[in-house]
Amino acid sequence: MKLSHIEEEAHWISLYHSGDESALAYFFDLHYRSLCYFANKMVQDADEAKDIVSGCFIRFWEGEHKAQSVQSIKSFLYISCRNACLNYLKQLGTRTRIQHEYYQNIEEADNSLDYAIIRSEVLQILSLEIDNLPEKCRTVFKLIYFDQKKTDEIAEIIGSNEKSVRYFKAKAIELLKTAMLKKGLSDSLYLSLLLLLNRP
Amino acid sequence: MLEREYHIAALIAKQLQNRITKEELEELAKWTAENNENKDFLDRYADQESVLADLRSFYLQDKQEIWEKVQSGTAQKQVRVKTFRLRPWHWASIAAAAVFIIWISTISPFQNKKNGLPIAAGSVDVAAGGSGATLTLSDGKKIRLLDNKQTELALEDGIKAIKSADGELIYSNEASDDHPTSSHYNILSTGKGQTFGLVLPDGSKVWLNSGSRLEYPVSFKGKQSRVVKLEGEAYFEVAKDKKHPFFVNGSSQQVQVLGTRFNINSYPEEQAVSTTLVEGSIRLLSGQQQRLLLPGEQAINSGSTIKVVKAKIEDVLDWRSGEFFFDNTNFAAAFRKLERWYNVEFIYDSQVSQDMLAGGWISMKNNLSAVLALIERSGQVTFRKEGRKIYVYKQ
């Protein structure tokens, strides 16, 4: 039985309040990518970003479990992450040009927006779109596009034949075309996506 | 707090997805016109190649590595949760089709007496282990260290040791000049179901798990290195002394201690010797190979190879915490922990799948029947007890 959006949120918040570890796993699953992407943009160091992000989740779990909504948990994590990144950059003393630019951006006037957070969130929304593809399509799409596997490799991984793989690939393109590709987006985008997906 | 950011992100995503309404498009256009930063930011989305590249790196994050850091960071804390469930994605990497999961929940034994399946009638329950050990002197004389009274022991060559009231044998510290020297060796050994602590003459501490044996010199004075010999499992906290390196010798490997806290699991019935470093650094020497370990790493020595992995510290050191802890361990390895503590033997029916994994924790103070009843609740296996033999059947 699939819960409605509101029921599902209430379910996880209540588990979080009672300190149930499956809630930690759930929020981790939901947010680790956007936090990592965001931390990486700020500190420009993949290993450091991993430490910072895991630290955020640890602090989230060790604190009082008082947040009332999924969104406030997301904001807590982003802000905790941002502060940890800024501290790290401060400690670093010397900053690369990119870090410096970003750092300055943050320190500016209160009403300036955090563009890195916006960028993270856009990617998160797009990735959820991919996650919403039907199961086999999603698996095949990820294997082609992210793991860069070939058709025969994919057939073996999912336990299907190559004909089925091509079918799922075509279906994924079709669905993503309507979902993700804007009318009037440059032809080069559509073409490069097709080329990527149509690699043997 | 970040509502504006979330809102703008939603608009941009909708535009990319061709789902944006007329009103929303106007709102986004207005935002873009507000200042140069906004305009520049939105322009970056026109570079679709970089959006796709970003999306790709967004997906390829090392979830496992980060999750493990989170788990070890939160696991040390006192806060315990009522039940320990793992989400389905956690099992994605396990290839075997027949993977069952045994859960051992922390519902108190009292509650369990109502729900648990009864162990075969007429059998006597098995009590949990406790502290106890046997000290063997160099002349072969054995002293049992069982009761919980503090006693002073007079050993060879005027060396003194104190058996504490709570399961520790403490050799007097030989730092003082008038401490006697000796070339004798003592052996401290534990039987099944026993654990014991030891403080060596240099102040190093060793905790022995069940069915283990440590041979050590009664005095380190006059020796270049401090060498002890281990069979079974022990946790060490070695006192720093750069001039006199500390070595733990086993049948297939030697550990050179460069600084403090580690656990060695070298039971003969386990397939490999596992050495886990908590703090400090140690060098592992085995045949032609050597490996330097960093804190949090575990070396698995099968005799022919040494593999280094990230340690599941809670799983390794559960015997020190007074609770069994199974962190997706192969269930046979988990049951061997129970075998050593309760001094029983599990005999598996051929129908029982070898691929099961165990997860959860339970206090080591429970009687065996309570533990078995909890495991039966997982619905995977049932037990039949005959004295010290426990037959395991598929449920």
Side-chain angles (χ1 to χ4, degrees):
Chain A
M1 184 198 84
K2 196 159 193 295
L3 299 170
S4 78
H5 189 65
I6 307 217
E7 284 170 350
E8 194 174 340
E9 182 170 325
H11 167 68
W12 290 112
I13 292 291
S14 124
L15 283 176
Y16 153 75
H17 283 158
S18 59
D20 189 319
E21 272 196 24
S22 64
L24 176 59
Y26 171 79
F27 287 113
F28 177 81
D29 207 24
L30 193 56
H31 297 302
Y32 82 95
R33 281 195 195 124
S34 34
L35 288 178
C36 262
Y37 175 85
F38 172 72
N40 248 308
K41 272 260 171 304
M42 282 198 74
V43 303
Q44 301 287 317
D45 180 337
D47 286 330
E48 190 58 44
K50 286 178 197 162
D51 283 337
I52 288 177
V53 171
S54 55
C56 291
F57 282 105
I58 294 168
R59 278 194 298 281
F60 160 65
W61 200 246
E62 281 178 14
E64 294 185 328
H65 293 205
K66 287 231 169 102
Q68 294 298 322
S69 70
V70 168
Q71 181 154 302
S72 61
I73 288 176
K74 177 162 79 168
S75 299
F76 169 85
L77 288 168
Y78 263 127
I79 293 178
S80 168
C81 188
R82 186 166 70 188
N83 289 340
C85 291
L86 290 174
N87 286 339
Y88 170 76
L89 291 173
K90 261 201 187 111
Q91 268 188 324
L92 219 53
T94 58
R95 299 179 210 133
T96 64
R97 184 183 61 87
I98 300 168
Q99 286 171 329
H100 187 82
E101 270 176 21
Y102 189 81
Y103 194 58
Q104 269 204 319
N105 200 19
I106 285 301
E107 285 191 322
E108 251 140 61
D110 286 321
N111 57 13
S112 90
L113 288 178
D114 191 331
Y115 294 104
I117 289 186
I118 300 179
R119 184 100 171 172
S120 266
E121 282 293 287
V122 171
L123 291 173
Q124 172 78 343
I125 295 169
L126 295 181
S127 75
L128 289 178
E129 193 66 55
I130 294 173
D131 287 344
N132 276 333
L133 288 172
E135 195 199 322
K136 279 264 157 68
C137 292
R138 178 177 74 234
T139 309
V140 170
F141 176 78
K142 282 188 184 177
L143 285 168
I144 300 169
Y145 187 56
F146 299 130
D147 298 333
Q148 319 220 281
K149 298 268 187 229
K150 304 202 176 74
T151 306
D152 54 346
E153 289 171 311
I154 298 174
E156 204 182 306
I157 294 171
I158 67 171
S160 256
N161 58 34
E162 295 195 21
K163 189 162 167 219
S164 308
V165 172
R166 279 192 279 274
Y167 166 75
F168 290 125
K169 202 204 288 190
K171 192 136 180 267
I173 297 177
E174 182 67 42
L175 291 166
L176 287 172
K177 189 172 101 176
T178 47
M180 273 177 74
L181 303 180
K182 180 187 167 194
K183 196 171 78 156
L185 264 182
S186 84
D187 288 334
S188 68
L189 162 67
Y190 185 45
L191 204 62
S192 52
L193 187 60
L194 267 184
L195 282 170
L196 272 164
L197 294 176
N198 277 313
R199 264 180 322 143
Chain B
M1 267 225 71
L2 299 167
E3 284 79 22
R4 278 274 284 165
E5 280 87 347
Y6 300 149
H7 183 66
I8 300 294
L11 293 179
I12 295 175
K14 274 191 172 175
Q15 192 196 27
L16 286 173
Q17 291 168 333
N18 197 27
R19 286 190 186 142
I20 197 165
T21 68
K22 190 157 163 286
E23 291 78 20
E24 287 169 340
L25 195 57
E26 277 171 14
E27 192 191 335
L28 192 57
K30 214 168 109 185
W31 180 79
T32 312
E34 255 173 47
N35 56 49
N36 279 331
E37 282 84 15
N38 292 353
K39 182 177 179 303
D40 287 343
F41 179 70
L42 202 67
D43 278 351
R44 277 187 254 163
Y45 281 98
D47 179 2
Q48 291 106 9
E49 298 277 339
S50 87
V51 174
L52 285 172
D54 263 2
L55 191 58
R56 183 157 186 276
S57 61
F58 190 82
Y59 260 99
L60 300 176
Q61 313 258 21
D62 196 344
K63 177 190 222 168
Q64 193 57 24
E65 197 187 329
I66 306 170
W67 176 240
E68 277 169 13
K69 283 184 207 266
V70 174
Q71 285 201 300
S72 59
T74 52
Q76 321 289 8
K77 304 306 162 190
Q78 294 307 91
V79 178
R80 281 293 191 224
V81 299
K82 292 275 157 62
T83 57
F84 180 42
R85 291 193 297 278
L86 284 177
R87 288 185 13 118
W89 56 255
H90 204 89
W91 305 116
S93 55
I94 297 164
V99 173
F100 302 93
I101 302 163
I102 302 174
W103 296 114
I104 305 170
S105 75
T106 56
I107 297 172
S108 81
F110 298 110
Q111 233 168 296
N112 246 6
K113 275 185 182 145
K114 278 188 279 177
N115 307 327
L117 297 169
I119 308 294
S123 60
V124 176
D125 199 355
V126 179
S131 86
T134 304
L135 176 64
T136 307
L137 305 182
S138 55
D139 60 1
K141 177 163 167 226
K142 288 191 199 291
I143 305 173
R144 287 211 186 282
L145 309 171
L146 279 178
D147 58 44
N148 44 15
K149 277 190 293 213
Q150 178 162 312
T151 11
E152 198 182 83
L153 302 168
L155 306 171
E156 309 98 320
D157 293 338
I159 303 280
K160 288 199 184 10
I162 295 179
K163 175 186 103 51
S164 76
D166 54 4
E168 275 197 351
L169 179 63
I170 307 166
Y171 283 77
S172 51
N173 196 298
E174 58 183 358
S176 58
D177 285 328
D178 58 357
H179 191 278
T181 55
S182 167
S183 54
H184 288 294
Y185 283 79
N186 284 168
I187 301 172
L188 187 68
S189 51
T190 51
K192 294 267 168 78
Q194 289 185 323
T195 59
F196 216 78
L198 174 64
V199 181
L200 294 170
D202 64 341
S204 298
K205 296 183 180 161
V206 187
W207 284 267
L208 287 181
N209 200 354
S210 320
S212 306
R213 189 174 176 282
L214 187 79
E215 189 174 330
Y216 52 93
V218 154
S219 162
F220 290 123
K221 272 194 183 173
K223 298 188 167 73
Q224 277 280 42
S225 339
R226 301 173 279 165
V227 182
V228 303
K229 196 164 139 191
L230 172 73
E231 277 170 36
E233 181 166 26
Y235 178 74
F236 295 82
E237 282 182 7
V238 173
K240 281 202 166 86
D241 183 350
K242 281 202 173 135
K243 295 204 200 106
H244 306 100
F246 195 100
F247 290 89
V248 182
N249 290 353
S251 56
S252 64
Q253 66 176 32
Q254 183 189 57
V255 172
Q256 180 188 6
V257 182
L258 307 166
T260 51
R261 300 164 191 229
F262 55 99
N263 192 82
I264 301 180
N265 180 319
S266 59
Y267 289 110
E269 67 268 18
E270 300 294 332
Q271 286 166 323
V273 176
S274 297
T275 310
T276 305
L277 179 63
V278 178
E279 211 178 277
S281 77
I282 56 179
R283 181 176 290 129
L284 198 68
L285 301 133
S286 175
Q288 299 292 350
Q289 304 185 69
Q290 58 168 299
R291 268 316 271 271
L292 188 69
L293 283 190
L294 296 174
E297 290 185 335
Q298 179 182 59
I300 301 172
N301 182 0
S302 65
S304 49
T305 52
I306 301 179
K307 188 170 113 166
V308 176
V309 299
K310 277 202 156 65
K312 291 175 179 168
I313 300 274
E314 273 226 327
D315 198 312
V316 170
L317 295 179
D318 63 347
W319 62 279
R320 297 269 310 125
S321 68
E323 282 187 347
F324 292 113
F325 185 84
F326 306 124
D327 183 357
N328 313 345
T329 30
N330 172 267
F331 86 105
F335 277 30
R336 283 195 294 273
K337 283 189 185 179
L338 299 178
E339 279 181 337
R340 289 189 283 263
W341 184 246
Y342 292 102
N343 194 13
V344 294
E345 187 191 340
F346 286 101
I347 298 167
Y348 303 97
D349 178 77
S350 54
Q351 294 276 329
V352 174
S353 161
Q354 294 302 310
D355 288 327
M356 289 188 278
L357 295 172
W361 58 82
I362 185 169
S363 164
M364 288 166 95
K365 295 201 182 87
N366 282 305
N367 283 340
L368 182 60
S369 57
V371 177
L372 297 180
L374 283 173
I375 298 174
E376 280 180 333
R377 286 185 52 154
S378 70
Q380 305 298 339
V381 291
T382 55
F383 301 103
R384 181 170 63 86
K385 189 175 170 304
E386 267 181 25
R388 293 239 164 218
K389 289 202 207 295
I390 318 272
Y391 293 89
V392 189
Y393 300 96
K394 185 173 141 120
Q395 209 178 95

